[in-house]
Amino acid sequence: MKKQAKISNAVIKRLPRYRRYLKELRKKGVDKISSNEFSTLIGYTASQIRQDLNNFGGFGQQGYGYSVDGLYHEISAILGLDKQYKMVVVGAGNLGQAIVNHTYYYKSGFIVSAIFEVNPKLIGLRINDIEVMDYENIVEYVEENEIDIGIICTTMDAAQEVADKLCFAGVKGLWNFAPVDIETPGHVAIENVHLTDSLYSLAYHINGAQEHNKK
Amino acid sequence: MKKQAKISNAVIKRLPRYRRYLKELRKKGVDKISSNEFSTLIGYTASQIRQDLNNFGGFGQQGYGYSVDGLYHEISAILGLDKQYKMVVVGAGNLGQAIVNHTYYYKSGFIVSAIFEVNPKLIGLRINDIEVMDYENIVEYVEENEIDIGIICTTMDAAQEVADKLCFAGVKGLWNFAPVDIETPGHVAIENVHLTDSLYSLAYHINGAQEHNKK
DNA sequence: TAGATTGTTAATCGATTAACAATC
DNA sequence: TAGATTGTTAATCGATTAACAATC
């Protein structure tokens, strides 16, 4: 088995977008699409689309294009969306609750199996029919239930310690919403979502662009 | 006034991170920092730090380094965080509510002044002391109150129409959480936050990397 | 002044785009 | 077969890193 060259993160970050557009096309009953047609729709160059897809294999057919349904399933498989993931949320605040609901609605393969909290007033409650458990028991739970993903919705201060515990307990990935950059051992994937940073870059674009001239 | 070269989005996206680290340093009472020390801390090369900052002006002092407090304020100003922003949230579901709370806690300059909904059961309620209003009245409200930012927490189907209305009513930027790519006229800034895409790229990193060999 | 560290130019690296041969 | 469109190599572009002169 030939070792494949590492695929750049820029490519990976485009895959979910390809998939979204393919899903829509599929819903509309479109059978095939050429890289040129796809380019017009999605806003990447046709060249980039072909390059991106060819990182994973030749999914198209010369003279014809790409099968919408076929490509949709290929990309889903590449992303690992043909598998199931067991997740725990840490922090039952507003954001934690929203994530529970959000994923509940949209992501069939991503199952939130428990929520962990330190606040005794919240422990024992059910959010979206998922139990809020005592943070004390998190390691035991994650180990026993073979949890894949930990979702960190804690304060900034607690985040790294929570991450360390989750990694120790054996999760394969962390989805971090706390406003710090979480560090994980090399074998644990990490996706930092910095909502505040996102809002700040929006603020820049609203008014910053023309005001900061050098000299 | 010399026209400045356009600053790449890669640079802009790093600014909030610089600011976060500077804020921490400031809290710890650190007065000055060299690009080398900052590099160790933040994980960018010293060269990149100096390049990034010099897009906006010479904030450092040769032989000394950068003033933590000074740089913190400079970056804040570049991002436009010395200004206030009036915002409306569209969609009072879980995500909308979480955003209201989230920004309420963290962002002093970003004020949510109303939430808009189509569901009559929610209209009239108060979330975090902010009124939930009828979506029917959104254009009038945004115009009269000179709202700067619209936050879209609707379904995929409604998102673009909501965006169009907000742009028509005069917002300067949109923060979109619906899982579609929103289009705006050139003068309206747009920041798409695709949480689902983020989760999917995490899934890829959990298991995808080694399984998709070509041929 | 000597040492340190920036600001800035030059070199390198990586990602995107263009071109075209392969092939359906 | 001829036309279309991919897969892939080559060219370009932009972003990052290295090097060093300027200067505090």
Side-chain angles (χ1 to χ4, degrees):
Chain A
M1 189 153 63
K2 185 161 134 257
K3 183 101 171 290
Q4 116 190 92
K6 197 185 176 305
I7 293 174
S8 86
N9 209 44
V11 174
I12 306 307
K13 284 284 177 186
R14 283 192 290 270
L15 293 179
R17 179 161 165 161
Y18 286 124
R19 186 172 175 277
R20 266 192 281 121
Y21 282 84
L22 289 165
K23 195 176 194 176
E24 283 300 301
L25 288 165
R26 214 163 151 257
K27 210 194 283 180
K28 285 180 191 155
V30 178
D31 281 337
K32 65 138 197 160
I33 194 162
S34 70
S35 56
N36 252 298
E37 292 165 327
F38 205 8
S39 171
T40 309
L41 190 66
I42 203 171
Y44 302 144
T45 63
S47 200
Q48 177 158 73
I49 293 168
R50 295 202 300 278
Q51 284 277 26
D52 281 354
L53 298 177
N54 274 90
N55 280 303
F56 304 100
F59 301 141
Q61 192 175 327
Q62 279 109 326
Y64 176 83
Y66 297 86
S67 150
V68 168
D69 193 63
L71 196 53
Y72 175 77
H73 287 293
E74 291 283 4
I75 292 178
S76 298
I78 291 164
L79 288 168
L81 304 182
D82 48 356
K83 298 184 178 65
Q84 291 224 345
Y85 300 89
K86 290 168 85 175
M87 315 196 292
V88 295
V89 170
V90 186
N94 277 281
L95 191 58
Q97 294 191 30
I99 297 295
V100 170
N101 281 273
H102 197 69
T103 56
Y104 182 86
Y105 282 123
Y106 286 98
K107 265 60 69 196
S108 43
F110 295 86
I111 302 146
V112 176
S113 68
I115 304 162
F116 289 88
E117 246 296 331
V118 285
N119 182 349
K121 285 181 189 162
L122 296 172
I123 296 166
L125 293 182
R126 295 195 146 256
I127 294 171
N128 229 79
D129 211 33
I130 296 157
E131 194 181 347
V132 179
M133 299 177 68
D134 190 340
Y135 176 66
E136 288 272 301
N137 306 319
I138 193 166
V139 171
E140 194 187 344
Y141 184 93
V142 167
E143 283 175 347
E144 275 179 16
N145 294 277
E146 298 185 304
I147 298 300
D148 300 292
I149 296 173
I151 306 176
I152 301 175
C153 299
T154 66
T155 59
M156 186 175 78
D157 301 321
Q160 184 64 57
E161 191 219 286
V162 169
D164 293 343
K165 256 198 177 141
L166 286 165
C167 291
F168 172 79
V171 298
K172 295 172 188 157
L174 291 177
W175 201 21
N176 174 46
F177 287 82
V180 281
D181 302 304
I182 291 291
E183 312 270 348
T184 57
H187 63 282
V188 179
I190 171 74
E191 175 80 9
N192 286 297
V193 179
H194 290 312
L195 294 181
T196 307
D197 289 13
S198 165
L199 182 58
Y200 289 175
S201 70
L202 177 62
Y204 174 86
H205 288 294
I206 283 175
N207 55 40
Q210 70 287 356
E211 288 172 34
H212 307 282
N213 290 349
K214 292 180 63 173
K215 256 297 159 46
Chain B
M1 191 154 67
K2 186 162 134 256
K3 181 102 170 291
Q4 118 190 91
K6 197 187 177 305
I7 293 173
S8 87
N9 210 44
V11 175
I12 305 308
K13 284 284 175 185
R14 282 192 291 268
L15 293 179
R17 179 159 164 163
Y18 286 124
R19 187 173 174 277
R20 265 193 283 122
Y21 282 85
L22 289 165
K23 196 176 192 174
E24 283 301 301
L25 287 166
R26 214 163 151 256
K27 211 192 285 179
K28 286 181 192 154
V30 178
D31 280 337
K32 66 140 195 161
I33 192 162
S34 70
S35 56
N36 252 297
E37 293 165 327
F38 206 8
S39 171
T40 308
L41 191 66
I42 202 170
Y44 303 143
T45 63
S47 200
Q48 177 159 74
I49 292 168
R50 294 202 302 277
Q51 282 279 24
D52 281 353
L53 298 177
N54 274 91
N55 281 303
F56 304 100
F59 300 140
Q61 192 174 326
Q62 279 109 327
Y64 176 83
Y66 297 88
S67 149
V68 169
D69 193 64
L71 196 53
Y72 174 77
H73 286 294
E74 291 284 3
I75 292 179
S76 298
I78 291 165
L79 288 169
L81 304 182
D82 48 356
K83 298 185 179 64
Q84 290 225 345
Y85 299 89
K86 291 169 82 175
M87 318 196 290
V88 294
V89 170
V90 186
N94 277 281
L95 190 58
Q97 293 192 29
I99 297 294
V100 169
N101 281 273
H102 197 71
T103 57
Y104 182 86
Y105 283 121
Y106 286 99
K107 267 59 69 195
S108 44
F110 296 86
I111 302 146
V112 176
S113 68
I115 304 162
F116 289 88
E117 246 296 332
V118 286
N119 182 349
K121 284 178 190 162
L122 297 172
I123 296 166
L125 293 182
R126 293 194 148 255
I127 296 171
N128 229 78
D129 211 33
I130 296 158
E131 193 181 347
V132 180
M133 299 178 67
D134 190 339
Y135 177 66
E136 288 273 301
N137 305 320
I138 192 166
V139 171
E140 195 187 345
Y141 184 92
V142 168
E143 283 175 347
E144 275 179 15
N145 294 277
E146 298 185 305
I147 299 300
D148 300 292
I149 296 173
I151 305 176
I152 301 176
C153 299
T154 66
T155 59
M156 186 175 79
D157 301 322
Q160 185 62 57
E161 191 218 289
V162 168
D164 293 344
K165 259 200 175 136
L166 286 164
C167 291
F168 173 80
V171 298
K172 294 171 188 159
L174 292 177
W175 202 22
N176 174 46
F177 287 82
V180 282
D181 302 304
I182 292 290
E183 311 269 349
T184 57
H187 63 284
V188 179
I190 171 76
E191 175 81 8
N192 287 296
V193 179
H194 290 312
L195 294 181
T196 307
D197 290 14
S198 165
L199 183 58
Y200 289 175
S201 69
L202 177 62
Y204 173 86
H205 288 293
I206 284 175
N207 54 40
Q210 71 286 2
E211 289 173 32
H212 307 284
N213 291 348
K214 291 181 63 173
K215 253 300 157 40

